[in-house]
């Protein structure tokens, strides 16, 4: 069963001009899923084998969230190759023994190219596509590499977002900013993030609305999608979004923020 079954699906496009589709979605300020957007990116192959991926990054280190969600986790500089091998062990952890011994870890919202410049050869920056939308200047490129059963809390960003998924599967749940009052936001400075525990509902929409009945008001306007490797989603500035990995594979994604 798909995550958040029963919630309206985000509009999807599978072919044609991705630039045109993003431009149209930007003008309408509506999310759109672009199936196969990154099917020609080298990362699809280079990042699939975590052992090969680990060898390619050499001795580079990267800040990894260790502990709770990004609101509580401590960021520690860890050798990226070691982190990738931990993810490989978690993928192969049939008994749950490794999971029981390893704290929550997540490489999140980090410009990994600053640590591993060679990774710029693995992605294709959609500068021309983004250049036709808004101010068109990419503010930041973020990498997201996490274990199975990883998630980002429901939150919004002050940028337009093109999120490109490269490994494993991820589900996304969207909630328009119009319904921010339903999300029980944290006080400043984390007022962009919901206190509702979406992860506890494990992708079950019925359980979500039972646990948080205040979401009923937003329910018909919420949208969902599941991303496979090579897929992308455009998320308008200010739209709340919750991401969670699906299945037993570690996930890897890259996103681009712009105004």
């Amino acid at each position: 069963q798909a995550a958040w079954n029963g919630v309206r699906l985000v509009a999807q496009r599978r072919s044609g001009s991705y630039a045109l589709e993003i431009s149209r979605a930007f003008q309408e300020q509506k999310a759109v899923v672009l199936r196969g957007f990154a099917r020609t990116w080298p990362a699809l192959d280079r990042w699939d084998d975590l052992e090969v991926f680990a060898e390619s990054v050499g001795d580079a280190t990267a800040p990894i969230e260790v502990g709770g969600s990004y609101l509580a986790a401590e960021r520690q500089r860890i050798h990226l190759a070691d982190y990738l091998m931990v993810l490989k062990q978690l993928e192969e952890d049939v008994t749950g023994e490794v999971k029981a011994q390893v704290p929550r870890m997540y490489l999140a919202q980090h410009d990994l190219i600053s640590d591993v410049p060679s990774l710029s050869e693995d992605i294709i920056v959609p500068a021309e596509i983004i250049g036709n939308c808004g101010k068109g200047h990419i503010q930041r490129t973020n990498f997201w590499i996490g274990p199975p059963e990883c998630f980002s809390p429901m939150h919004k960003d002050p940028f337009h977002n093109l999120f490109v998924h490269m490994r494993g599967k991820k589900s996304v749940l969207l909630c328009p900013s119009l319904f921010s009052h339903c999300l029980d936001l944290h006080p400043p400075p984390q007022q962009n993030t919901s206190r509702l525990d979406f992860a506890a509902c494990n992708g079950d929409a019925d359980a979500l609305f039972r646990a948080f009945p205040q979401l009923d008001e937003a329910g018909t306007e919420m949208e969902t999608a599941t991303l496979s490797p090579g897929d992308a989603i455009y998320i308008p500035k200010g739209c709340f979004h919750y991401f969670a990995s699906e299945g037993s594979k570690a996930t890897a994604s890259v996103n681009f923020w712009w105004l």
Side-chain angles (χ1 to χ4, degrees):
Q1 178 172 300
W4 311 117
N5 193 38
V7 175
R8 188 177 70 200
L9 295 177
V10 178
Q12 302 181 43
R13 301 291 181 268
R14 296 182 181 275
S15 60
S17 170
Y18 292 124
L20 179 61
E21 295 297 345
I22 292 176
S23 177
R24 181 180 293 133
F26 181 88
Q27 292 172 11
E28 297 176 354
Q29 285 300 280
K30 292 182 178 179
V32 65
V33 171
L34 306 165
R35 299 294 182 193
F37 176 85
R39 60 181 178 272
T40 61
W41 287 24
L44 276 179
D45 292 323
R46 295 178 184 173
W47 298 1
D48 189 54
D49 186 322
L50 289 176
E51 195 166 349
V52 173
F53 192 5
E55 291 174 358
S56 73
V57 300
D59 295 327
T61 63
I64 309 296
E65 292 178 1
V66 180
S69 74
Y70 70 82
L71 297 172
E74 176 187 355
R75 284 204 169 196
Q76 300 178 11
R77 276 253 162 207
I78 296 174
H79 280 97
L80 183 56
D82 292 342
Y83 173 65
L84 292 171
M85 294 312 295
V86 169
L87 298 187
K88 180 177 173 63
Q89 292 173 17
L90 287 169
E91 283 189 342
E92 299 169 350
D93 182 28
V94 178
T95 64
E97 183 178 350
V98 176
K99 179 183 175 182
Q101 298 176 3
V102 175
R104 177 193 180 274
M105 304 173 75
Y106 193 15
L107 190 158
Q109 195 175 309
H110 179 61
D111 180 7
L112 195 55
I113 291 175
S114 64
D115 298 304
V116 191
S118 62
L119 289 180
S120 62
E121 300 172 6
D122 294 351
I123 67 174
I124 300 173
V125 178
E128 185 174 347
I129 292 176
I130 290 174
N132 293 323
C133 300
K135 295 182 179 179
H137 174 68
I138 295 176
Q139 300 287 321
R140 182 172 172 133
T141 301
N142 298 307
F143 284 66
W144 310 77
I145 304 174
E149 301 182 23
C150 190
F151 66 91
S152 296
M154 179 69 82
H155 68 285
K156 68 175 181 177
D157 299 311
F159 303 101
H160 298 284
N161 185 356
L162 182 61
F163 186 95
V164 187
H165 192 56
M166 304 308 300
R167 190 181 194 280
K169 284 193 173 185
K170 268 193 172 179
S171 65
V172 58
L173 183 65
L174 306 179
C175 182
S177 58
L178 177 65
F179 299 100
S180 60
H181 60 281
C182 301
L183 294 175
D184 188 18
L185 302 179
H186 282 274
Q190 298 294 344
Q191 68 270 28
N192 71 320
T193 302
S194 173
R195 287 190 281 204
L196 303 185
D197 190 356
F198 285 79
C201 299
N202 199 29
D204 185 333
D206 291 336
L208 178 69
F209 292 113
R210 283 197 305 269
F212 309 115
Q214 68 266 38
L215 290 176
D216 284 347
E217 182 182 347
T220 58
E221 297 302 318
M222 295 175 76
E223 294 182 307
T224 189
T226 297
L227 304 179
S228 297
D231 293 341
I233 182 171
Y234 163 69
I235 301 175
K237 175 184 174 182
C239 179
F240 284 88
H241 48 285
Y242 167 83
F243 276 102
S245 60
E246 299 290 327
S248 60
K249 289 193 72 169
T251 58
S253 314
V254 183
N255 85 297
F256 305 92
W257 277 343
W258 80 98
L259 292 172

